Amino acid sequence: MGSSGINAEYMGSSGINAEYMGSSGINAEYMGSSGINAEYMGQEYDDSGLEAILFVADGDMRIALNSMQSTFAGFGLINSENVFKVCDQPHPKTLQHILEKCKTGHIHEALPTLTGLLKQGYSTIDFISTLFRVVKFFKMDEKLKLQWIKMIAFAHMRIAEGVNSSLQLTGLLGKMCTAATQSGARAG
């Protein structure tokens, strides 16, 4: 606990990338130096909690402050797990697990995690929106990443138009696995 020593390269503890946070309006330095931080507000926190706040806020200071206050009020501690519970977004680590399985073409290992998230009450729009943000900074072949982003964008469009069944997400993961497998076959 203490002032934020947030890693600007890759935030391993919460699976969140600081480069993304810096380009979105607020960043770790701003959170720590602006006087609007958890320590100043007398709230107990750890670095993973501030990283999660930055991810959830997506550049909006109002959301950052509200998320911080809501998490502290609900749990008494601002950490990654508590922030994602309060803000009702799937945890980026869980989505990274799904992406790892898709990257190796193992859809049967990715689907139970997707099903688990949907059974926890996350909507298809929660999943697809967070997946897009996580994939942008996922370490992988750039050409394949662009294919995945395009696939996610089309699925997001269909979900936003009202076709929001879990079948959309299952189909998306299948397409992502196929693209990864074909990309690996071309490279090998």
Side-chain angles (χ1 to χ4, degrees):
M1 312 249 186
S3 67
S4 176
I6 297 176
N7 182 346
E9 190 176 307
Y10 180 75
M11 301 184 181
S13 64
S14 63
I16 303 168
N17 186 296
E19 286 179 24
Y20 172 69
M21 300 309 146
S23 67
S24 66
I26 61 172
N27 59 33
E29 285 180 31
Y30 185 76
M31 289 283 284
S33 67
S34 66
I36 303 172
N37 62 37
E39 196 170 296
Y40 177 78
M41 295 166 68
Q43 298 175 343
E44 203 171 324
Y45 68 96
D46 65 20
D47 287 346
S48 74
L50 293 183
E51 294 163 8
I53 293 289
L54 290 171
F55 183 82
V56 166
D58 197 24
D60 189 331
M61 183 57 85
R62 296 166 302 168
I63 293 173
L65 290 172
N66 288 336
S67 300
M68 191 180 300
Q69 290 171 342
S70 298
T71 302
F72 185 76
F75 295 98
L77 171 66
I78 301 169
N79 66 19
S80 178
E81 290 300 317
N82 293 345
V83 169
F84 286 109
K85 285 178 189 174
V86 167
C87 297
D88 203 31
Q89 287 187 7
H91 199 290
K93 277 186 173 181
T94 306
L95 296 181
Q96 285 176 344
H97 171 76
I98 291 173
L99 294 174
E100 285 293 340
K101 297 305 175 188
C102 287
K103 189 165 88 171
T104 57
H106 295 113
I107 184 131
H108 297 294
E109 294 176 26
L111 286 177
T113 307
L114 168 64
T115 303
L117 286 172
L118 295 175
K119 284 184 179 178
Q120 289 175 26
Y122 293 109
S123 69
T124 54
I125 200 74
D126 292 336
F127 179 87
I128 199 83
S129 299
T130 308
L131 183 67
F132 175 74
R133 292 171 54 204
V134 171
V135 118
K136 286 193 310 188
F137 298 100
F138 187 68
K139 293 183 189 271
M140 61 184 294
D141 173 67
E142 288 298 315
K143 186 174 181 181
L144 179 59
K145 183 187 291 191
L146 290 173
Q147 287 179 316
W148 280 10
I149 288 173
K150 184 178 178 181
M151 291 174 191
I152 292 168
F154 280 117
H156 189 275
M157 182 181 66
R158 285 190 295 275
I159 289 169
E161 290 174 344
V163 187
N164 59 357
S165 73
S166 62
L167 190 57
Q168 287 294 326
L169 299 179
T170 303
L172 171 64
L173 295 186
K175 289 176 184 178
M176 291 168 65
C177 286
T178 301
T181 303
Q182 290 173 349
S183 173
R186 283 194 301 264

